[in-house]
Amino acid sequence: MTPDSPPSLRQVPHERTFHGDTVNDEYFWLIDKDDPQTTAYLEAENTWTERATEHLADLRDTVFQEIKGRTQETDLSVPSRKGAYWYYTRTVEGKQYGIHCRVPVRPGQDDPPMGDDRPGEEVLLDGNELAEGKNFFALGTFDVSPDGTRLAYSTDFDGDERFTLRVKDLTTGEILPDEVTDTHYGSAWSADGSALFYITVDEAWRPCRVWRHAVGQAGVDDVLVFEEPDERFWVGVELSRSEKFIVIDANSKITSEVRVIPSDEPAAEPVVVTPREQGVEYSIEHHGHRFLILHNKNAEDFALAYTSADSPGEWVELIPHTPGTRLESVDAFARHIVISQRRDGLTGLRVMGDGSTDSYDMEFPEPLYSVGLTSNPEYDTTSVRIGYTSMVTPESVYDVDLVTRTMTLRKRKPVLGGYNPDDYEQFRDWASAGDGTRVPISIVARKGTPRDGSAPALLYGYGSYEYSVDPYFSISRLSLLDRGVVFAIAHVRGGGEMGRRWYEEGKLLAKKNTFTDFVACAETLVRHGWTSAARLVARGGSAGGLLMGAITNLAPEAFAGIVAEVPFVDPLNSILDPNLPLTVTEWEEWGNPIESSEVYAYMKAYSPYENVEKLQYPRILAMTSLNDTRVLYHEPAKWIARLRAVAPEGDYLLKTEMGAGHAGPSGRYDSWKEEAFILSWVLDVLGLA
């Protein structure tokens, strides 16, 4: 029977005391995933959400068909050359997942094979076959050995990001007996393909161990190559582009350490490039006789140096620190270096020739855009592949000749149904935060959208981990724009859009800047005539979901609706529990409220769950997943329950994917359906349903 009111939730006293402060967390029991009452409650919430949105069924189907109708379902990525093959992924109409393929490079073939004529196509892995009969499917590793004869791949069928690693013999098509369970993302092959390096996690889901597996040698135990005991650090492993070194990196939020192993000596002991120094971050890239080192030692926005690859030691400066120009990554090729950077809120690429300090910046025509390197597996090349997009330009792939500087467009993502970028406009606006900081806003709207405050709008934000939400194109967004909705991105502090200081001013004891920046952006959209508070919806996910929860308490009158996806809305209780996944590694991002009473009080003052009051909240849609290991499902479940108990006049919905993880449904059609669900709810809040 369909309920006529939202489900009620029992309250069980559960007190915690820190720094003399005793708090009752009456919904703490929801953390028990195996409790039948937990499952029953989540399913009851799903039933209520279905009931409360059943009037949107036709609109949901319409939006889904719009997304599907604008997408070229049978498609092909631009093939990337590696050795004797072109590698690519293709999709087929009606199938949920990509098919990973390769074809041999034909004599004299310099351009990627983009048409239907791809003789000798070899299917390496078909995600649809792997996912058959499963509700969820994700790949963690997809790694072809240097000689092209073996494929390491790992699969997750639950969404909890714990993968099973397997090896396929590409000469015979046979799946080898080698199988390793409970692995993490990342892998690296030895030069001859005899050894495979992989990562496992501890009980708190922290990737902390690197192992070496002897492929095809039954009975030979895997060897522990490196273990990171410091719970603040995560570990990764990869093969350098030059294929000369296995690179093992250990990173906390603010400190790094890198080890290397010659790929032709896989049993050798790892060598530390530079010992860790608290507060110093660095990464390496092998380039001939040297390791390039991107670092922030006495360089807030990072600088580039190098050291000997044969005997790592003293650093020699290559690109000095320039305040305001954030160097984000470096990619080395046989005769060139490409530096990914950002300045004035925009991404960019700088090219430097080998053995020279001369450099040039690639130039792009639009005032707002995002650009970066994409798949570039070849080391010995004078051409690189880049991805480019803007709020009105679909994802575009270019090959750039680093010598002549010519750019060749290989593909622009098709948008079916007659999409014309000239029908839309993108803008950069600026909000003024309470402390006078200017906060950039990226805006896109259909031409002719009124600027008198009458238009509906959706404002998106994130603002954590120095992650930047740069201008991007979205097919699903067209379903909003074509209905007159303005779409905007608030580039708030805590992200990395304006450099390292932008991040530093939105973390730890400055975290509230993230929230007040977002509210300032919302108020600016209203003041500048883009929309009105009564027609403005906010959206964010994960740490951006914390942002959504915080602004509902901070300025509920500024928004008509809130979409919070896998939201981190109970941060204080989570960060107080070092046994939960990721907690200890997060202390350098949020602070340690266990040891510091100041951090405790600060976090309690902004935590959405701790600060629910009897207010008139905007309408709220919270989306979560039962198997999420990054933001546990119980956080939004507790938040919605407390909202209903404390401020019962509001309209709050909780939707839980019962067989997915942090990223939600895994298949593309399922993802489109979920997006159509969210967008139809947004349109309903905006009065456009």
Side-chain angles (χ1 to χ4, degrees):
M1 178 179 251
T2 303
D4 294 322
S5 61
S8 59
L9 184 61
R10 65 188 175 106
Q11 299 186 21
V12 179
H14 180 86
E15 291 188 347
R16 59 157 172 78
T17 301
F18 284 91
H19 308 291
D21 181 47
T22 299
V23 176
N24 179 34
D25 184 3
E26 67 272 30
Y27 303 115
F28 176 82
W29 64 269
L30 276 170
I31 197 171
D32 187 355
K33 183 178 177 180
D34 297 324
D35 185 343
Q37 292 190 61
T38 297
T39 303
Y41 172 70
L42 296 176
E43 290 177 341
E45 285 284 2
N46 281 347
T47 300
W48 168 246
T49 296
E50 183 180 351
R51 165 72 177 84
T53 59
E54 63 184 1
H55 66 291
L56 299 175
D58 289 344
L59 179 59
R60 279 200 300 271
D61 184 63
T62 297
V63 173
F64 171 76
Q65 293 299 333
E66 289 173 358
I67 297 171
K68 185 173 180 288
R70 292 186 177 112
T71 302
Q72 185 165 299
E73 297 178 66
T74 298
D75 206 356
L76 179 78
S77 68
V78 180
S80 297
R81 182 170 179 171
K82 180 68 171 69
Y85 293 93
W86 294 102
Y87 291 85
Y88 55 92
T89 301
R90 57 183 176 83
T91 55
V92 176
E93 183 175 355
K95 294 186 179 294
Q96 293 265 34
Y97 300 98
I99 303 169
H100 302 269
C101 307
R102 70 181 182 184
V103 294
V105 176
R106 288 177 283 182
Q109 185 183 33
D110 295 324
D111 294 337
M114 292 298 299
D116 295 332
D117 182 24
R118 298 185 302 278
E121 179 181 87
E122 177 184 355
V123 174
L124 306 181
L125 210 62
D126 186 339
N128 303 287
E129 292 182 359
L130 291 172
E132 189 172 353
K134 308 291 185 180
N135 292 325
F136 183 92
F137 165 72
L139 280 177
T141 287
F142 182 90
D143 192 0
V144 178
S145 62
D147 64 3
T149 63
R150 286 172 169 169
L151 168 68
Y153 70 96
S154 61
T155 54
D156 167 23
F157 296 113
D158 296 309
D160 59 4
E161 299 180 79
R162 286 177 169 82
F163 298 90
T164 297
L165 179 67
R166 296 179 174 85
V167 177
K168 181 178 182 179
D169 186 329
L170 297 181
T171 61
T172 65
E174 176 190 7
I175 305 298
L176 301 181
D178 307 68
E179 183 176 300
V180 186
T181 59
D182 292 330
T183 64
H184 193 64
Y185 299 99
S187 63
W189 286 100
S190 63
D192 62 0
S194 65
L196 177 64
F197 294 77
Y198 65 90
I199 295 171
T200 59
V201 301
D202 62 13
E203 291 183 356
W205 193 82
R206 178 180 66 99
C208 60
R209 302 180 190 92
V210 178
W211 301 81
R212 185 179 69 248
H213 174 76
V215 179
Q217 297 186 32
V220 177
D221 291 338
D222 290 359
V223 177
L224 180 61
V225 177
F226 173 72
E227 182 171 12
E228 175 54 63
D230 192 327
E231 292 181 83
R232 298 173 302 159
F233 284 76
W234 281 34
V235 170
V237 66
E238 64 179 351
L239 181 64
S240 65
R241 180 181 283 108
S242 66
E243 298 183 346
K244 298 298 184 183
F245 291 94
I246 309 295
V247 180
I248 299 172
D249 57 88
N251 296 287
S252 77
K253 301 296 182 185
I254 60 173
T255 306
S256 307
E257 186 174 61
V258 179
R259 290 168 170 79
V260 293
I261 300 171
S263 62
D264 57 359
E265 300 177 47
E269 286 295 313
V271 173
V272 176
V273 175
T274 296
R276 70 186 64 177
E277 179 181 339
Q278 180 69 9
V280 175
E281 301 168 60
Y282 77 93
S283 60
I284 73 158
E285 179 85 342
H286 178 235
H287 191 223
H289 64 282
R290 61 189 181 179
F291 289 131
L292 300 175
I293 301 176
L294 192 69
H295 69 91
N296 70 339
K297 186 176 179 64
N298 302 316
E300 182 180 56
D301 279 321
F302 286 69
L304 185 64
Y306 66 88
T307 189
S308 168
D310 296 325
S311 181
E314 182 180 356
W315 294 0
V316 180
E317 183 180 89
L318 190 59
I319 298 179
H321 175 238
T322 303
T325 299
R326 172 70 161 93
L327 306 185
E328 295 197 315
S329 63
V330 58
D331 287 84
F333 302 91
R335 289 169 290 282
H336 294 87
I337 301 168
V338 180
I339 301 99
S340 299
Q341 60 188 20
R342 64 174 58 247
R343 184 170 53 239
D344 299 326
L346 291 176
T347 53
L349 295 169
R350 182 190 304 182
V351 180
M352 179 181 292
D354 185 23
S356 168
T357 57
D358 293 336
S359 64
Y360 67 89
D361 290 345
M362 296 185 192
E363 296 183 354
F364 305 96
E366 295 182 273
L368 292 181
Y369 60 86
S370 301
V371 66
L373 294 183
T374 58
S375 177
N376 287 281
E378 284 280 20
Y379 178 70
D380 190 4
T381 181
T382 58
S383 175
V384 297
R385 179 159 296 163
I386 67 171
Y388 175 92
T389 187
S390 77
M391 304 284 269
V392 299
T393 302
E395 292 92 333
S396 307
V397 177
Y398 289 89
D399 282 342
V400 181
D401 189 307
L402 299 177
V403 178
T404 65
R405 308 187 187 185
T406 56
M407 296 176 59
T408 303
L409 177 64
R410 294 301 185 189
K411 181 173 185 176
R412 179 158 289 150
K413 185 174 183 176
V415 183
L416 307 182
Y419 172 74
N420 183 353
D422 293 336
D423 292 338
Y424 306 85
E425 297 178 287
Q426 58 179 347
F427 306 87
R428 171 58 56 87
D429 206 342
W430 296 85
S432 180
D435 61 2
T437 300
R438 298 179 74 234
V439 182
I441 311 171
S442 296
I443 303 170
V444 63
R446 192 171 179 91
K447 283 184 179 177
T449 300
R451 292 281 297 275
D452 58 4
S454 64
L458 177 64
L459 179 62
Y460 183 85
Y462 187 76
S464 292
Y465 303 110
E466 203 179 2
Y467 178 79
S468 300
V469 183
D470 294 306
Y472 66 99
F473 183 84
S474 166
I475 282 181
S476 61
R477 187 196 299 150
L478 295 175
S479 292
L480 297 179
L481 301 183
D482 289 350
R483 288 175 170 84
V485 179
V486 175
F487 178 85
I489 303 170
H491 302 288
V492 294
R493 281 176 285 185
E497 287 90 338
M498 300 290 283
R500 173 48 67 94
R501 185 165 299 180
W502 200 249
Y503 168 51
E504 298 287 352
E505 292 181 356
K507 65 182 292 194
L508 298 172
L509 295 177
K511 187 62 202 171
K512 291 180 184 178
N513 286 334
T514 302
F515 317 137
T516 53
D517 282 0
F518 192 88
V519 173
C521 289
E523 292 172 343
T524 297
L525 291 178
V526 172
R527 189 167 57 253
H528 292 180
W530 290 106
T531 189
S532 64
R535 305 205 75 191
L536 177 60
V537 171
R539 182 178 183 180
S542 196
L546 165 63
L547 170 60
M548 295 299 101
I551 63 171
T552 60
N553 294 324
L554 184 64
E557 74 288 345
F559 306 94
I562 303 287
V563 179
E565 299 170 84
V566 289
F568 186 40
V569 284
D570 190 19
L572 182 58
N573 284 317
S574 292
I575 296 298
L576 282 169
D577 187 349
N579 297 313
L580 289 179
L582 312 182
T583 291
V584 176
T585 64
E586 295 291 305
W587 284 342
E588 290 177 338
E589 176 78 18
W590 310 97
N592 185 344
I594 298 175
E595 295 185 355
S596 169
S597 60
E598 183 183 18
V599 170
Y600 177 91
Y602 189 81
M603 290 191 70
K604 186 177 179 182
Y606 70 68
S607 170
Y609 182 61
E610 303 289 341
N611 290 280
V612 172
E613 299 180 42
K614 189 173 178 58
L615 300 172
Q616 184 61 53
Y617 285 106
R619 293 171 64 181
I620 295 174
L621 171 63
M623 309 283 290
T624 189
S625 294
L626 186 63
N627 296 329
D628 191 346
T629 53
R630 296 174 183 260
V631 179
L632 301 188
Y633 69 90
H634 71 268
E635 293 203 24
K638 289 166 56 179
W639 180 50
I640 292 297
R642 182 170 281 182
L643 280 164
R644 289 221 185 95
V646 176
E649 299 304 315
D651 181 0
Y652 319 116
L653 298 179
L654 174 68
K655 185 174 186 290
T656 304
E657 287 292 334
M658 302 302 286
H662 194 62
S666 56
R668 58 175 177 162
Y669 295 104
D670 292 339
S671 296
W672 296 346
K673 287 177 181 177
E674 180 171 89
E675 182 67 6
F677 178 89
I678 293 172
L679 295 186
S680 65
W681 184 87
V682 169
L683 290 168
D684 189 40
V685 173
L686 295 175
L688 299 174

